[in-house]
Amino acid sequence: MPTSTAVVPTDAAVRYAKQLLAHLGRKNTVEPVEGAPDGGRLVFAYGTGTVRPTAYGLVLDAAADDAEGLAHVEDVLARHLERFGARRELVVSWQRPTDHPDPE
């Protein structure tokens, strides 16, 4: 299952997490995330997006069954979150884990 993570530096992580979850949660299921009372997991038809506020920023995790679904989850989360920020305050940069070949 393809995954990716973005850490968005902000002093208002809790506010942006609540705003993103409320906005996207109008049309999608939001599940609680253990250990993140202000976070949540958005369940889309094409994958999931987990939103967790932390002391250093907002952590977004995307997962899907295929690369196309993952790209869609990343796009939806990033586009909506970046709109909430004033004057390009929020920038979402996704990082995908790299596959390391098995040593021979």
Side-chain angles (χ1 to χ4, degrees):
M1 173 177 280
T3 63
S4 61
T5 299
V7 178
V8 183
T10 178
D11 293 335
V14 171
R15 177 174 63 105
Y16 286 125
K18 288 180 180 181
Q19 194 173 8
L20 186 61
L21 291 168
H23 181 72
L24 293 174
R26 287 185 282 176
K27 293 184 178 180
N28 303 286
T29 302
V30 178
E31 300 174 343
V33 174
E34 189 174 327
D38 293 315
R41 180 173 297 105
L42 291 154
V43 180
F44 303 104
Y46 39 83
T48 61
T50 303
V51 179
R52 291 179 289 120
T54 66
Y56 51 87
L58 191 59
V59 178
L60 305 174
D61 293 307
D65 290 334
D66 56 34
E68 183 179 336
L70 182 63
H72 197 101
V73 173
E74 291 172 344
D75 180 59
V76 168
L77 292 176
R79 216 170 1 100
H80 284 86
L81 183 61
E82 288 173 349
R83 277 193 219 150
F84 297 146
R87 296 184 166 260
R88 302 184 200 273
E89 171 190 3
L90 302 174
V91 177
V92 180
S93 297
W94 293 99
Q95 301 296 316
R96 295 183 181 182
T98 57
D99 292 332
H100 298 288
D102 293 331
E104 293 185 53

